[in-house]
Amino acid sequence: PAPAGRGAKGKAKADAGASTDGRGHIHGSFIPPGCDADDSYQDPSTSRNYEDSMVKGFWCPPRLRGRNESLIEAVNDWHFAMLNDANRNQFYFDAMSEVVKGKRVVDIGAGSGLLSLMAARQGASEVLAIEASRDMVDLAQLNIRRNGCENIRVIHDLSNNVKLSEADKADVIVSETLGALMLGEGMLDYLCDARRRLAKPGARIIPAGGAQYAMLICSPTLAMVSSVQSECCKGFDLSAIGSLQDTGNLFFTKQWGFRLNSLPDLVAMSERVPIVEVDFQLTERPQIPATKTFRLEALQDGIVHAVVASWEVWSDSQKTHRITTHPEDTRDEPWGFARDMQWGQGLQLVEDFDAASHSDRNRAPAPFVVKAGEVLMLTVRFSVPCRQTFQFTLRRAANVAAAATAAAAGAAGRR
């Protein structure tokens, strides 16, 4: 199953609420890989040094000795791809243009310092770069010196632990803490906290907003790597193995090692619908409901193999500049491979929800076969408490209506 953010080492800490404790910790939110700014967030699996993770007797590159293994894994997993997504970088450069000049800027999750450097180049009066990894802080400070920027200050901490005087508060907050799922790296939580405590009233937030989308797809090629295909098994019945197919968790396309737009037979089985939209200037976690249901219409006959989750974010309320993870938007672009290797899309396999309740435990899930024009109901369950990931279930509208009628009749009988 997909972790909350881009890589496998970020964690969402489970808790009962969306508030902060006395030390400013955001309950239930994502903790970035390599975070060593606060001992309360660390565990042995994410705070060990690189050399301690190696097979005994293997050579350790000297430049990596003593550095955080979790951070190194994340950098090699997606950070290089992120830095080389030229369209992403241009989005942030354009979004800050004519906004940051003469302003105090706070960069949350500063990483290499790229966005801070952009803000400084565009005339920000002062930039505060906040980064939770000591190794990355050291490298960001080196990058800042090499680029001759003297008005950038780097703080080693999680932004929710930082305190600023009124005079030091930001006119502009910028952050690229977007995951494969839009909110998967805790962006909403950290921005909510920052605009309350680290920003002046009316401060600009970049990006200003975004939407998470879902779409039903059909792809026999996808089915070839996610289910048992009888024609491939030399005449033997191995269908029982299909009973282990995971239709309950969301995965990332990157985890499966392919780009969704590379599937030669991918067909959209529904329109793409926004399942949640946020205004990073205003929205808070409790405003996202735990469950939402959407009415979809099958676009053609076939099997719904999966639900695809992708997102887009925009620079301002007019959506002047925009970036997306929709697979068709990255297909033929020079930066598209980097985008798909750092973010890609979320993917959840689909089975016939109503058939599942009375299916044999050792039988493969029933495929969800639809006819063009058939009305379907897609339910989204957001994770508790963080709302950073979600689960899909798909039903036929006719079955939902029949179940509701039966439940009403049963309730009337009990009265």
Side-chain angles (χ1 to χ4, degrees):
R6 277 172 275 212
K9 293 296 178 130
K11 301 177 294 179
K13 292 188 70 176
D15 211 314
S19 60
T20 59
D21 63 20
R23 290 173 295 176
H25 299 167
I26 300 175
H27 294 317
S29 201
F30 178 87
I31 305 303
C35 173
D36 51 13
D38 190 319
D39 290 341
S40 66
Y41 287 117
Q42 295 185 42
D43 65 56
S45 67
T46 58
S47 60
R48 64 183 176 180
N49 289 337
Y50 176 80
E51 63 271 21
D52 296 327
S53 71
M54 301 190 73
V55 174
K56 187 176 181 179
F58 279 21
W59 174 73
C60 175
R63 59 190 163 75
L64 298 180
R65 185 175 295 278
R67 286 180 163 167
N68 184 287
E69 185 268 338
S70 175
L71 176 67
I72 292 170
E73 181 175 337
V75 169
N76 286 271
D77 182 18
W78 53 263
H79 199 92
F80 291 132
M82 179 193 73
L83 289 178
N84 294 321
D85 183 343
N87 179 260
R88 163 202 174 267
N89 300 341
Q90 191 65 48
F91 166 81
Y92 275 93
F93 192 85
D94 291 341
M96 285 190 278
S97 178
E98 301 181 4
V99 173
V100 301
K101 188 173 182 179
K103 305 295 185 181
R104 300 179 67 86
V105 177
V106 168
D107 177 7
I108 296 175
S112 66
L114 177 60
L115 301 189
S116 294
L117 289 164
M118 288 182 186
R121 176 172 293 180
Q122 297 198 68
S125 61
E126 184 176 357
V127 182
L128 180 65
I130 304 173
E131 170 55 43
S133 162
R134 166 51 64 188
D135 287 325
M136 195 60 86
V137 163
D138 293 342
L139 293 171
Q141 290 173 327
L142 178 59
N143 291 336
I144 290 164
R145 289 196 299 272
R146 286 179 172 176
N147 285 280
C149 291
E150 298 180 354
N151 63 335
I152 302 175
R153 180 162 58 102
V154 185
I155 291 182
H156 176 218
D157 213 333
L158 286 161
S159 62
N160 48 292
N161 289 332
V162 172
K163 296 180 180 180
L164 298 178
S165 69
E166 289 299 318
D168 287 336
K169 288 187 176 181
D171 303 295
V172 180
I173 297 174
V174 62
S175 181
E176 200 281 73
T177 46
L178 296 156
L181 308 180
M182 182 179 69
L183 302 182
E185 292 188 3
M187 187 160 179
L188 180 60
D189 286 342
Y190 289 109
L191 286 179
C192 284
D193 174 73
R195 71 185 187 226
R196 283 195 302 266
R197 300 188 310 102
L198 305 180
K200 297 174 184 175
R204 289 284 296 272
I205 310 295
I206 299 174
Q212 180 75 60
Y213 289 84
M215 181 175 70
L216 308 182
I217 63 164
C218 170
S219 171
T221 299
L222 176 62
M224 190 65 69
V225 297
S226 59
S227 61
V228 176
Q229 302 294 303
S230 59
E231 66 272 20
C232 300
C233 297
K234 304 297 290 183
F236 296 102
D237 180 1
L238 303 180
S239 60
I241 301 300
S243 65
L244 299 176
Q245 185 189 58
D246 188 349
T247 58
N249 280 302
L250 194 74
F251 293 83
F252 296 161
T253 52
K254 180 179 175 177
Q255 288 178 290
W256 281 5
F258 67 88
R259 301 176 69 191
L260 196 63
N261 53 34
S262 71
L263 298 178
D265 50 12
L266 179 70
V267 174
M269 297 297 286
S270 74
E271 298 293 339
R272 179 179 287 128
V273 295
I275 60 172
V276 64
E277 182 170 327
V278 298
D279 180 342
F280 289 121
Q281 305 261 161
L282 298 170
T283 306
E284 303 211 9
R285 185 200 288 182
Q287 295 171 319
I288 300 175
T291 304
K292 298 174 74 174
T293 298
F294 300 86
R295 183 184 184 277
L296 304 177
E297 186 174 304
L299 296 179
Q300 52 195 302
D301 296 355
I303 298 174
V304 177
H305 288 115
V307 187
V308 173
S310 57
W311 53 256
E312 56 187 61
V313 300
W314 42 84
S315 58
D316 53 33
S317 59
Q318 291 76 41
K319 302 183 181 180
T320 306
H321 306 288
R322 191 174 63 99
I323 52 171
T324 90
T325 61
H326 305 325
E328 68 274 15
D329 290 345
T330 65
R331 181 187 297 115
D332 300 317
E333 299 292 344
W335 43 264
F337 183 71
R339 170 94 32 104
D340 287 338
M341 289 299 99
Q342 64 143 327
W343 282 322
Q345 297 80 34
L347 191 71
Q348 186 179 329
L349 301 176
V350 168
E351 66 174 298
D352 191 313
F353 181 88
D354 294 296
S357 61
H358 50 78
S359 177
D360 187 317
R361 177 179 173 83
N362 294 318
R363 185 182 297 275
F368 204 113
V369 182
V370 298
K371 293 289 186 181
E374 186 174 359
V375 178
L376 309 170
M377 305 302 288
L378 180 69
T379 296
V380 188
R381 296 173 177 84
F382 291 91
S383 58
V384 176
C386 65
R387 304 292 197 265
Q388 290 169 11
T389 186
F390 41 83
Q391 180 199 55
F392 297 110
T393 51
L394 185 66
R395 301 183 70 184
R396 303 175 201 280
N399 290 353
V400 174
T405 299
R414 288 191 294 275
R415 288 197 298 269

